[in-house]
Amino acid sequence: MSVKLATITKPGSHRAMNRVKYAPSQLQAISRMALIVQKYGGTSVGSVERIGAVADRVARFKSEGHDVVVVVSAMSGETNRLLALAKEIQANPAPRELDALLSTGEKVTTALLSMALHERDVRARSYSGNQVGILTDSAHNKARIQDIKLDTLKSELDAGGVPVVAGFQGVDVQGNVTTLGRGGSDTTAVALAAALKADECQIYTDVDGVYTTDPRMVDGARRLDHITFEEMLEMSSMGSKVLQIRSVEFAGKYKVPLRVLSSFEEGPGTLISTEEDTSMEAPVIAGIAFNRDEAKLTVIGVPDNPGMAYRILGPVGEANIEVDVILQNSRGENETDFTFTVARSDMDKAAQLLTPVVAELGAGEVLTDDHIAKVSVVGVGMRSHSGVAATMFKALADVGVNIQMISTSEIKISVIIEEKYLELAVRSLHSAFGLDTVETTA
Ligand code: ASP
Ligand code: MG
């Protein structure tokens, strides 16, 4: 994804001078005029009442003196409804026509929200991606933003208005309407915030922030005040439900502070930024991520010779199957087992691809297992702390969970375990790393 920042006009200097810097979790501290991009997801604009509530919040920010650019999704269920209509007519509609259709959902919301703002005496104008100059490549249904023309947005801001921009869509050089892939409104918001050099990009949704782990699995899961982009990306197994992952990458690249908040209740949400908490009490682990969507393949009896990993994983990569964890151990004898994991939906295809390879190599057979899960402890703090792995393995040992594979990165340790122990593993890690909510005694 590339916003050609060089080609993007700088925002008015009056705004640059008033740049405010506020600490994590202190939304209230935005005391001077700031430029804020607010994105409202489908549930936040899911009814006329909810659109009214959004307009109330936007009006409040305006009355406090901030400049606000709003990006909206389609009303909840709308994109799916349009998709279903298309499928009733044709099994595989032309991607260009699909984009022409799906992009209408967001446009409805922009017009309705603008009306709701007018009703509150706030100047506002709705814009499609095309009108606001969001230029993309021509990859229909999964287009990438290439450039954003800021003239329209800036003149509306300068006139004191609120631009209400349709998320998820753009236009290619030929003038065709494109869409950015499901959940793409987040990316629109971040791209606009980057281009405008906004002080913050706020993503309003139906949860009040990013949690230490899935609160549906662990009662004691806590909302994080702050998390780094790197951590957020590693937490993606849960984060992706909150934010389109591509938007987090984008925000990290352009250092746009992102805040996830609830549009239904007031609160500071979770700030996602580049800043690391370097205080002595900073937690070593930000959260516990997990992923059930993994499957394991093991090639038995692979000759212990150079080139085997390539012979096995080459065809898998060529088929665009992403490999996650890899395990191989050469004992210097003549054969080894080679194990790796892929997305569950790719397991059968990968196994099929390996059948001829196994025969060529003179290896044994390919075993598959789709009853596995991956659990990861994530935190930038582990860079400077030893013993994180030991704590993790002890916690799993204490509850009798067997570790099948291990992989590490600078800020993450992941283990592959049997799927049926997933909840047990996540709960015990969550408490072993001190992440549970502190119980207050009554
Ligand atoms: N309406 C689009 C979708 O449902 C884009 C978005 O909501 O972000 O995927
Ligand atoms: Mg969304």
Side-chain angles (χ1 to χ4, degrees), residues 39 41-42 73 182-186 205 241-244:
K39 181 262 173 177
S73 284
R182 297 307 302 270
S185 297
D186 294 340
T205 178
K241 286 171 209 147
V242 182
L243 276 175
Q244 196 196 35

Side-chain angles (χ1 to χ4, degrees), residues 47-355:
S47 67
V48 166
E49 290 72 36
R50 286 180 178 180
I51 289 174
V54 167
D56 286 338
R57 178 180 288 101
V58 173
R60 202 182 70 221
F61 271 86
K62 276 301 280 180
S63 71
E64 286 165 3
H66 305 301
D67 277 343
V68 184
V69 173
V70 181
V71 174
V72 287
S73 284
M75 295 169 79
S76 56
E78 181 62 10
T79 308
N80 288 338
R81 189 186 71 88
L82 294 168
L83 207 59
L85 279 179
K87 300 276 165 174
E88 269 182 53
I89 291 183
Q90 220 182 1
N92 286 307
R96 182 186 181 280
E97 304 317 321
L98 207 52
D99 277 352
L101 177 72
L102 297 188
S103 62
T104 61
E106 271 67 15
K107 286 172 66 175
V108 169
T109 324
T110 58
L112 292 176
L113 179 57
S114 297
M115 293 172 200
L117 286 165
H118 297 166
E119 192 58 23
R120 286 156 182 79
D121 291 324
V122 176
R123 178 183 162 132
R125 294 191 79 171
S126 62
Y127 296 101
S128 67
N130 187 2
Q131 285 174 308
V132 93
I134 299 177
L135 299 177
T136 71
D137 59 21
S138 301
H140 284 291
N141 312 158
K142 50 175 189 297
R144 302 239 151 194
I145 297 175
Q146 293 186 322
D147 194 8
I148 300 180
K149 302 260 178 274
L150 293 181
D151 307 351
T152 312
L153 274 181
K154 275 176 55 197
S155 55
E156 182 58 20
L157 283 171
D158 287 343
V162 176
V164 181
V165 182
F168 171 60
Q169 57 183 268
V171 64
D172 73 1
V173 275
Q174 280 92 36
N176 300 300
V177 174
T178 55
T179 67
L180 310 179
R182 297 307 302 270
S185 297
D186 294 340
T187 297
T188 305
V190 171
L192 287 179
L196 288 163
K197 299 195 168 34
D199 296 288
E200 191 167 283
C201 180
Q202 302 177 338
I203 308 282
Y204 288 90
T205 178
D206 47 9
V207 294
D208 67 349
V210 179
Y211 276 68
T212 49
T213 194
D214 190 338
R216 284 166 304 186
M217 189 179 281
V218 180
D219 285 339
R222 278 190 293 117
R223 180 186 55 78
L224 291 156
D225 282 333
H226 175 245
I227 186 171
T228 67
F229 291 114
E230 280 177 288
E231 288 169 331
M232 184 66 197
L233 289 171
E234 296 290 13
M235 296 280 285
S236 64
S237 62
M238 275 153 303
S240 60
K241 286 171 209 147
V242 182
L243 276 175
Q244 196 196 35
I245 283 312
R246 194 168 137 204
S247 72
V248 181
E249 288 167 358
F250 208 117
K253 187 164 167 193
Y254 292 104
K255 301 192 167 38
V256 178
L258 256 184
R259 193 185 292 273
V260 176
L261 328 96
S262 163
S263 64
F264 303 102
E265 51 191 273
E266 292 300 318
T270 300
L271 178 67
I272 310 166
S273 76
T274 48
E275 269 147 70
E276 280 179 35
D277 182 352
T278 48
S279 65
M280 285 184 67
E281 271 118 278
V284 177
I285 297 303
I288 314 293
F290 58 84
N291 187 1
R292 296 177 197 270
D293 177 36
E294 298 234 359
K296 186 173 81 171
L297 292 98
T298 302
V299 187
I300 303 281
V302 179
D304 195 2
N305 296 329
M308 291 303 125
Y310 173 66
R311 298 274 296 273
I312 293 169
L313 295 183
V316 176
E318 263 161 49
N320 278 322
I321 296 176
E322 240 178 274
V323 173
D324 185 23
V325 185
I326 304 171
L327 183 74
Q328 201 228 305
N329 179 26
S330 163
R331 275 174 299 148
E333 292 176 14
N334 42 20
E335 47 179 52
T336 71
D337 296 342
F338 189 96
T339 307
F340 61 98
T341 68
V342 297
R344 235 174 240 189
S345 55
D346 285 332
M347 183 183 80
D348 290 338
K349 191 170 165 201
Q352 249 170 38
L353 284 169
L354 288 180
T355 312

